[in-house]
Amino acid sequence: MRFFSYIFVLLALFFNTVLAKEHYTIGILSFRSPEVTLKQWQPLIDYLENKQANYSFTLKPLSFVELDVAIKNQTIDFLLTNPISYILFKEKNLVNIALLSMKELKDGKVLDQFGGVIFTHKDSKDINTLADLKGKKIATVGTNSLGGYQVQAYELFKIGTDVIKDTKLIFTELPHDNTVFEVLNKKADVGFVRTSVLEALVKEKKIHLSDFKILNIQQKEDFPFLLSTDLYPQWPLTSLLHVNKKVAQELSVLLLSLPDMQVYGLGGFGVAQDYARVKQILQSMHFLHSDEHKNSEIFEFFDTYIDRYLYELILFTTLLFIFIVFIAYQLRLANKKLKAHQNALVKFEKIFNNTAQAIILTDVNTVITDVNPAFCVITGYSKAEAIGNTTNLLQSGKHDKTFYESMWKDLRTKGFWEGEIYNKRKNTQVYPEYLSINALKDEQDNINAYIALFSDITAIKSQQKALEQMAYFDTLTKLPNRRKLVKTLEQLMSKQTPFVFLLIDLDDFKLFNEKFRREIGDKFLLAFAQRLQNVLKKTDFLARIGGDEFAIIWHSEEREVTCEAFLEQLLHISIQTLSIDAQSVSSSVSIGVSFYPQEAILSPEKLIRQSDQAMYNAKMSGKNQYKFFDTNTEKQLQTFHKDIQQIHNALISQEFLVYYQPKVNMHTGEVLGFEALVRWQRDEQIISPAFFLPLIENHSLMMELGEYVLKDALDLLASWHNTERQNQSISVNLSAYQVLHEDFIPRLQAILQQYPQLDLHFLEFEILETSALEDITAASQVIATCKQMGISFSLDDFGTGYSSLTYLKRLDIQTIKIDQSFVRELFLKAENIDILDAIIALANSFNIKVIAEGVEDISQGRILLHLGCDNAQGYFIAKPMPKEQIPAWQSNWQTPPQWSKTKKIKHENISILRVVMEHFAWIDKIELYIKDMNDILPPLHHKECKFARIIENDSNLKSFLQPVLPQHKKIHMLAQELIGLHNAGFKVDASKKIQELLALAQNMQEDIYDLLQVNS
């Protein structure tokens, strides 16, 4: 029987262990007795026990000292404490980030923030502002209280008053009542207490509020208590580092859904607030006790222990005497060292004045304080001329900003710099020098001066140049030789710089020298080298690497497309006849081409061998031609030629279609005209122009395709003659190739002669801003000629070119089209409002029409109308359509009522639109966070977002938007709810409710638009 009893006991212990709940302890900072604290918070523990089947919780009240021990020993799992201790524990990495923020219940109101009160006795005539507190006695419960000390001290800190240094502190300890009675009894001049303390004492009939005067009084919306400081977040709830994240998350969800516990004197919990401002206060105030308090502790120490340690005091005095004797001895030694230093200075002065190197001494700001005679000899400046000037006196202008930034970076980090530099003498002659600069530091390791030594290395550089010329340059042509070529290739390859490498060999040059004299051959080589240089850019590289062999490093951003044209040019100039010594001579060339970079790792020699092999193939194929080594590039060129041929065939078979997109007046609904846009219908598929236009951008096919579109547009204009659409215009896009082609005007005139009945005032050409700026003079001449015919011009994609403002005056255009990127991103980038306003104002100042591209919804159109831009095109109005669909579309088109009612607003109200855009940018960030597309959470409180900060600093703006501020607050409250759900793990629920947030934001936007209408 005893055996079975043992088995029963063991089974009971086993099941009790298995079925036991996981237990967690919640520590709470307590300023009262443990019994009072437990009684206040026990309802919360009961609630958690009832709601959570898997865990059990106990509450543990702790003092400051007990709290520190509990956290270090991990005897608690969660912590509810004041913001100061939370920040201190968080900075020591002892706790996690705040899970929730407590809400306090005061007089029936739930508050998630608190602040401090600064008060004095009503009889204090000399204390009326914070500036009057210097030298006064201030009562406070202690420096570790946020509401009872830190926030008030921070307010004084902001006006330049240091509470520790500038006032006398009296520490009353908790409760705050002690501080109030200290001021009431006139034992202190001023008191610091937490908000609601004064009101509580009045309610308990312990004081009369009329006995006190509140300083720096603040008015905060929805905050019911007296206040002298900013408001700060209530106590945070956090978890210790060892707590499982899932447990913390489940506890947060339970506390967020906490029912009304006002009957227990608790206000509940909300989403964790931002405690950065509390941290800022602690950093600013250094969290130190006052000197007076420290001194009192010192005096207390001496009063208590002076008699007990009299013997030790005598011993200390004796040791002090011995120390003084030792110091005197050290001073004697220091005096000897000083004399030694003086002797060293005399030696230094001799070296300073007699060395052949120039020496400059400067202060930390590079102002020259001394120079030696060698400096005067080298630079030409006298000592008097140099001292007092900065070292900029010597700058030659040959080095850019980056050079000097690198120099100063070395001086700051390493303490020295040396290298070659070009400086300028007094007579403005620039010369090379070898310079060494050292930073001189004080005992605190701070730089306080610089010393520089340099030598004139003009003669050395001349010798180097002569040696380099012999080593790296051809004696006949003065071009770089093979060694220089290899060195240059190594430098380019180390930077992965793309380039084309050409090897050029004169065909049968040995026979040439036999036929003509060697002297004529040399002159021919010189003339041929000059011809090559004439067709190269400054960035290209030409070398002579053999008797009749040349190499070219050719740089081009579009090398695959333009390389063949360049090679044909080289073949053409090579065969042209030259007259040398009254004899006509010529010679063809064979060219081998390779490209860099390639998939395989290359050395300069291997790249040269590749081109040499390709050049050999060119000779074997009949000479006077070029060959590529890079098979991949050859395939690309073949593909390019194939694509070009397909486009050419498509033009012949009329596979290209012309679609038309309307341009309208958004306010009146009037159809202003249409833009002709080309499409390629290939195998029953519509191909975007983004595919084929870049291929022919610099090809003659671009001219043919452009004329194809122009003829279609002219045919359509002709069909509108004497119809209801006869006053509508058509715009046709021109490429840079067309505008700048020498035959553009003659070919245009030939086409227009086929339409003698057309009024060309209804024809418009659109050119890209960047295209017009390629050759501003040629473009302006083309525009002027077309204007004489009656054709107008518009500048497309305005705002994307770097010279828009500079060249706008030179281009005689009638319309600018705002680039669609500025319109599409209106609600993402508030600064686009300013860009659009600036473009519209610029156009008005030049008396130029404005049309906006890319309008895709009603809101974008309303913003443009508010800014004064009535004309637009975009997918919301109509997508590009075949010309057959134009009548049906136009008969059904009508402008939205929202547009017809929208007016241009006053210029001073544009800031309101900017605020609206900032709000929608905030909404977008909330949406991205909810959808886990961005982990940066914007401010959640309705007074902390950029919208609120902007209107808070602008009283007129705040007054104007006053009617929508309740909606703004409601939006923020809903956003806080969504973020709370998301962070608690209910992401699906949060995503479902995001539409509700967007709808509220849209309603607020519409109300702001209505306000603008009334005030326009």
Side-chain angles (χ1 to χ4, degrees):
M1 287 296 292
R2 183 175 297 179
F3 172 76
F4 288 109
S5 298
Y6 290 151
I7 294 298
F8 178 81
V9 170
L10 289 173
L11 286 173
L13 289 172
F14 171 76
F15 283 107
N16 185 58
T17 303
V18 171
L19 299 176
K21 293 183 178 181
E22 292 184 30
H23 182 76
Y24 294 95
T25 302
I26 303 175
I28 181 170
L29 177 61
S30 175
F31 295 122
R32 303 180 181 88
S33 67
E35 294 76 20
V36 172
T37 303
L38 286 171
K39 182 179 180 180
Q40 179 186 2
W41 289 93
Q42 190 57 44
L44 176 66
I45 299 301
D46 295 340
Y47 168 77
L48 294 175
E49 289 286 337
N50 292 332
K51 289 290 183 180
Q52 178 53 255
N54 299 324
Y55 315 120
S56 63
F57 298 92
T58 57
L59 189 72
K60 190 172 185 179
L62 299 164
S63 67
F64 274 112
V65 175
E66 293 169 337
L67 193 64
D68 189 58
V69 173
I71 289 177
K72 289 180 180 177
N73 295 334
Q74 294 189 354
T75 57
I76 60 173
D77 306 293
F78 294 92
L79 172 64
L80 181 63
T81 184
N82 71 356
I84 286 183
S85 61
Y86 163 68
I87 292 297
L88 293 176
F89 290 134
K90 186 70 182 71
E91 286 299 296
K92 295 176 182 177
N93 200 29
L94 297 175
V95 298
N96 289 310
I97 62 172
L99 297 170
L100 303 169
S101 289
M102 186 187 77
K103 296 181 180 179
E104 188 177 22
L105 181 67
K106 289 288 185 179
D107 292 344
K109 290 196 174 187
V110 177
L111 302 175
D112 60 358
Q113 292 184 301
F114 71 97
V117 182
I118 306 173
F119 62 95
T120 185
H121 198 279
K122 67 177 181 178
D123 297 335
S124 301
K125 305 298 183 183
D126 60 337
I127 302 177
N128 297 295
T129 67
L130 297 185
D132 301 329
L133 268 58
K134 285 191 176 181
K136 300 296 188 291
K137 292 185 288 185
I138 297 177
T140 175
V141 295
T143 57
N144 58 358
S145 171
L146 180 63
Y149 174 76
Q150 291 291 345
V151 296
Q152 294 93 334
Y154 187 59
E155 291 295 323
L156 290 171
F157 171 77
K158 289 191 288 186
I159 65 167
T161 300
D162 187 328
V163 177
I164 300 295
K165 296 179 180 178
D166 299 335
T167 68
K168 299 177 181 179
L169 292 178
I170 300 173
F171 299 100
T172 64
E173 303 298 334
L174 288 168
H176 285 275
D177 303 11
N178 299 339
T179 299
V180 177
F181 290 116
E182 199 79 3
V183 176
L184 185 64
N185 297 328
K186 298 187 178 180
K187 294 181 180 180
D189 301 313
V190 177
F192 291 170
V193 294
R194 195 181 191 273
T195 50
S196 78
V197 171
L198 292 177
E199 288 86 349
L201 289 174
V202 170
K203 190 174 181 180
E204 295 169 7
K205 297 184 179 180
K206 293 182 179 179
I207 65 169
H208 296 286
L209 199 57
S210 58
D211 291 333
F212 300 97
K213 181 168 39 175
I214 309 302
L215 303 180
N216 198 41
I217 194 162
Q218 305 285 311
Q219 297 294 332
K220 300 290 184 179
E221 185 180 350
D222 297 333
F223 192 76
F225 299 111
L226 292 169
L227 182 67
S228 300
T229 70
D230 282 341
L231 291 173
Y232 295 88
Q234 287 282 4
W235 287 23
L237 174 71
T238 185
S239 61
L240 270 67
L241 300 179
H242 67 272
V243 176
N244 185 279
K245 290 184 179 178
K246 179 183 177 184
V247 177
Q249 186 181 63
E250 293 185 17
L251 178 61
S252 300
V253 173
L254 283 174
L255 293 178
L256 278 173
S257 57
L258 193 68
D260 185 3
M261 302 193 72
Q262 295 187 15
V263 293
Y264 302 109
L266 303 178
F269 291 86
V271 175
Q273 299 190 50
D274 184 5
Y275 291 89
R277 291 187 299 141
V278 177
K279 180 179 177 181
Q280 181 184 0
I281 291 177
L282 297 179
Q283 290 173 334
S284 301
M285 307 310 299
H286 305 297
F287 204 74
L288 299 173
H289 293 291
S290 69
D291 293 336
E292 179 181 317
H293 188 62
K294 290 179 180 177
N295 290 338
S296 66
E297 292 176 350
I298 294 171
F299 293 143
E300 182 181 348
F301 171 84
F302 276 104
D303 289 342
T304 304
Y305 298 106
I306 188 85
D307 293 333
R308 188 182 303 176
Y309 298 105
L310 182 60
Y311 173 77
E312 287 80 353
L313 183 62
I314 295 171
L315 178 61
F316 172 77
T317 305
T318 305
L319 291 174
L320 180 62
F321 175 75
I322 295 171
F323 176 73
I324 293 172
V325 172
F326 174 75
I327 292 298
Y329 174 72
Q330 292 297 321
L331 287 174
R332 252 182 100 181
L333 292 178
N335 189 43
K336 289 183 178 179
K337 289 181 180 179
L338 179 62
K339 289 182 179 179
H341 284 313
Q342 288 174 341
N343 294 333
L345 285 174
V346 172
K347 293 180 181 178
F348 172 78
E349 186 176 358
K350 290 181 180 178
I351 296 171
F352 183 80
N353 290 326
N354 294 288
T355 183
Q357 277 190 305
I359 303 176
I360 313 174
L361 294 173
T362 77
D363 63 13
V364 71
N365 298 314
T366 72
V367 175
I368 299 173
T369 57
D370 201 0
V371 297
N372 71 341
F375 169 90
C376 301
V377 172
I378 293 174
T379 66
Y381 288 102
S382 67
K383 192 170 187 176
E385 290 172 326
I387 293 176
N389 280 302
T390 68
T391 54
N392 292 343
L393 178 74
L394 304 173
Q395 284 188 6
S396 64
K398 292 195 69 171
H399 303 287
D400 58 15
K401 183 180 178 181
T402 305
F403 175 86
Y404 290 105
E405 286 177 348
S406 176
M407 172 191 290
W408 285 108
K409 181 180 178 181
D410 283 355
L411 283 170
R412 286 191 298 269
T413 57
K414 301 177 182 177
F416 68 91
W417 181 91
E418 65 177 353
E420 292 184 9
I421 188 172
Y422 282 88
N423 272 338
K424 183 174 62 176
R425 308 185 206 274
K426 181 180 178 181
N427 63 3
T428 72
Q429 181 189 10
V430 176
Y431 67 98
E433 65 182 43
Y434 193 85
L435 172 65
S436 173
I437 308 175
N438 282 273
L440 306 179
K441 298 183 179 180
D442 57 20
E443 294 178 353
Q444 286 74 39
D445 205 34
N446 296 319
I447 297 174
N448 61 4
Y450 296 99
I451 181 170
L453 292 82
F454 65 87
S455 301
D456 184 345
I457 57 172
T458 302
I460 296 174
K461 296 293 285 186
S462 297
Q463 291 174 357
Q464 286 180 347
K465 189 174 182 180
L467 291 172
E468 184 178 342
Q469 189 70 28
M470 292 172 60
Y472 291 111
F473 291 88
D474 174 48
T475 55
L476 175 64
T477 62
K478 309 304 180 187
L479 292 174
N481 59 16
R482 187 184 183 94
R483 180 186 286 183
K484 183 67 173 177
L485 171 67
V486 171
K487 199 174 188 67
T488 304
L489 288 173
E490 287 174 346
Q491 292 172 350
L492 293 174
M493 289 175 169
S494 67
K495 299 176 182 177
Q496 290 292 301
T497 304
F499 60 87
V500 183
F501 182 68
L502 288 71
L503 211 56
I504 304 172
D505 187 81
L506 291 167
D507 293 330
D508 301 320
F509 195 69
K510 182 178 180 182
L511 297 177
F512 182 99
N513 276 331
E514 291 176 357
K515 181 178 180 180
F516 305 101
R517 299 190 311 277
R518 176 68 180 269
E519 293 80 6
I520 293 179
D522 288 346
K523 290 179 180 179
F524 180 82
L525 289 172
L526 285 169
F528 179 69
Q530 188 59 52
R531 279 184 173 181
L532 293 177
Q533 285 180 318
N534 291 340
V535 298
L536 295 178
K537 304 184 296 294
K538 290 183 179 179
T539 55
D540 297 330
F541 180 90
L542 173 64
R544 184 190 180 203
I545 61 173
D548 58 354
E549 199 170 23
F550 295 83
I552 293 176
I553 300 174
W554 187 65
H555 298 278
S556 174
E557 295 181 359
E558 303 177 59
R559 64 187 189 185
E560 290 84 357
V561 177
T562 58
C563 180
E564 285 195 334
F566 177 65
L567 294 170
E568 292 290 349
Q569 184 182 17
L570 291 180
L571 293 176
H572 176 70
I573 65 170
S574 299
I575 61 174
Q576 291 180 353
T577 303
L578 287 171
S579 178
I580 299 177
D581 292 349
Q583 296 191 62
S584 296
V585 296
S586 64
S587 176
S588 63
V589 296
S590 297
I591 305 175
V593 186
S594 57
F595 294 96
Y596 185 85
Q598 299 176 19
E599 292 183 3
I601 299 175
L602 291 176
S603 66
E605 291 295 343
K606 187 173 182 179
L607 188 69
I608 293 172
R609 286 197 301 272
Q610 287 182 354
S611 293
D612 187 64
Q613 181 180 337
M615 185 259 294
Y616 175 79
N617 292 336
K619 283 190 178 295
M620 293 299 101
S621 300
K623 304 176 184 178
N624 192 31
Q625 57 184 286
Y626 56 85
K627 290 290 182 179
F628 294 99
F629 174 83
D630 192 341
T631 56
N632 290 328
T633 304
E634 280 192 305
K635 290 178 181 178
Q636 290 173 3
L637 286 171
Q638 290 170 2
T639 302
F640 169 74
H641 288 305
K642 183 180 178 181
D643 291 338
I644 291 293
Q645 188 60 45
Q646 287 179 342
I647 295 172
H648 178 70
N649 295 337
L651 270 171
I652 296 173
S653 57
Q654 296 187 344
E655 294 177 8
F656 289 98
L657 305 175
V658 181
Y659 281 21
Y660 293 87
Q661 186 176 31
K663 296 181 282 188
V664 302
N665 183 303
M666 294 184 288
H667 190 71
T668 65
E670 176 189 2
V671 178
L672 305 173
F674 296 80
E675 180 181 2
L677 300 165
V678 68
R679 302 287 188 268
W680 185 2
Q681 185 174 21
R682 181 182 178 189
D683 299 331
E684 299 182 353
Q685 296 288 327
I686 301 297
I687 300 175
S688 168
F691 169 76
F692 57 88
L693 287 183
L695 292 173
I696 60 172
E697 186 175 3
N698 295 305
H699 196 278
S700 59
L701 281 177
M702 180 60 81
M703 184 74 81
E704 295 180 37
L705 182 59
E707 291 175 353
Y708 179 94
V709 176
L710 175 61
K711 291 175 183 177
D712 192 278
L714 291 172
D715 288 339
L716 185 57
L717 276 177
S719 70
W720 288 351
H721 188 61
N722 291 330
T723 69
E724 61 183 0
R725 278 182 287 280
Q726 64 179 353
N727 293 326
Q728 294 175 356
S729 66
I730 295 181
S731 59
V732 177
N733 290 283
L734 296 181
S735 69
Y737 183 90
Q738 290 174 272
V739 175
L740 303 177
H741 196 283
E742 59 185 8
D743 292 333
F744 173 72
I745 293 297
R747 295 177 68 153
L748 172 63
Q749 290 171 335
I751 293 172
L752 294 177
Q753 286 175 2
Q754 303 173 33
Y755 302 89
Q757 79 282 11
L758 281 185
D759 184 350
L760 295 181
H761 288 90
F762 296 107
L763 175 63
E764 183 184 53
F765 286 144
E766 291 186 18
I767 57 173
L768 288 174
E769 182 184 9
T770 49
S771 298
L773 299 180
E774 285 185 19
D775 189 339
I776 191 73
T777 303
S780 61
Q781 290 174 353
V782 170
I783 292 172
T785 304
C786 290
K787 188 176 181 182
Q788 291 174 358
M789 302 179 194
I791 304 170
S792 59
F793 268 75
S794 69
L795 203 56
D796 200 6
D797 292 354
F798 187 80
T800 59
Y802 64 91
S803 301
S804 304
L805 304 182
T806 307
Y807 295 112
L808 188 58
K809 187 67 176 176
R810 294 184 60 186
L811 297 173
D812 189 11
I813 60 171
Q814 288 70 52
T815 306
I816 59 175
K817 299 184 73 175
I818 299 174
D819 184 67
Q820 59 187 350
S821 61
F822 299 121
V823 178
R824 287 177 177 170
E825 297 176 352
L826 260 177
F827 293 94
L828 298 177
K829 297 180 180 178
E831 62 268 26
N832 280 4
I833 289 289
D834 297 319
I835 295 173
L836 290 172
D837 181 46
I839 291 175
I840 294 167
L842 179 68
N844 291 336
S845 67
F846 284 96
N847 195 27
I848 294 174
K849 298 176 184 177
V850 180
I851 183 168
E853 297 177 294
V855 175
E856 296 182 351
D857 59 44
I858 288 180
S859 296
Q860 292 171 348
R862 293 189 73 175
I863 295 292
L864 290 166
L865 287 164
H866 278 314
L867 292 172
C869 178
D870 293 347
N871 304 327
Q873 68 182 109
Y875 279 13
F876 181 81
I877 299 164
K879 293 183 178 180
M881 66 189 79
K883 55 189 170 187
E884 294 81 8
Q885 297 178 9
I886 290 176
W889 171 84
Q890 193 162 355
S891 62
N892 294 321
W893 158 253
Q894 57 182 1
T895 193
Q898 296 94 323
W899 286 359
S900 60
K901 295 176 183 178
T902 302
K903 305 175 186 176
K904 179 182 179 182
I905 63 174
K906 299 175 183 176
H907 193 269
E908 57 267 25
N909 287 339
I910 290 177
S911 59
I912 297 169
L913 293 179
R914 193 180 304 111
V915 171
V916 173
M917 298 305 103
E918 291 289 356
H919 180 63
F920 268 84
W922 179 85
I923 291 288
D924 185 69
K925 291 176 183 176
I926 292 291
E927 185 177 6
L928 291 175
Y929 185 88
I930 293 295
K931 293 179 179 179
D932 289 329
M933 297 171 68
N934 191 352
D935 57 358
I936 300 175
L937 185 62
L940 293 179
H941 196 273
H942 70 280
K943 289 189 176 183
E944 295 177 351
C945 71
K946 197 167 184 179
F947 176 98
R949 293 202 305 272
I950 291 174
I951 65 174
E952 192 63 33
N953 295 326
D954 189 334
S955 57
N956 293 331
L957 195 57
K958 186 175 183 180
S959 175
F960 185 96
L961 294 175
Q962 193 66 39
V964 301
L965 293 184
Q967 292 172 267
H968 175 251
K969 183 177 179 180
K970 186 176 181 181
I971 290 169
H972 273 266
M973 291 175 66
L974 179 57
Q976 290 180 29
E977 180 182 348
L978 294 178
I979 296 301
L981 287 169
H982 177 274
N983 291 346
F986 298 98
K987 296 185 178 182
V988 175
D989 295 337
S991 296
K992 288 179 180 178
K993 296 192 73 174
I994 193 68
Q995 293 303 322
E996 183 180 346
L997 182 71
L998 296 175
L1000 286 175
Q1002 186 65 37
N1003 291 338
M1004 189 181 94
Q1005 180 191 9
E1006 292 298 326
D1007 289 344
I1008 293 175
Y1009 287 158
D1010 292 339
L1011 289 172
L1012 286 170
Q1013 291 294 103
V1014 173
N1015 290 274
S1016 295

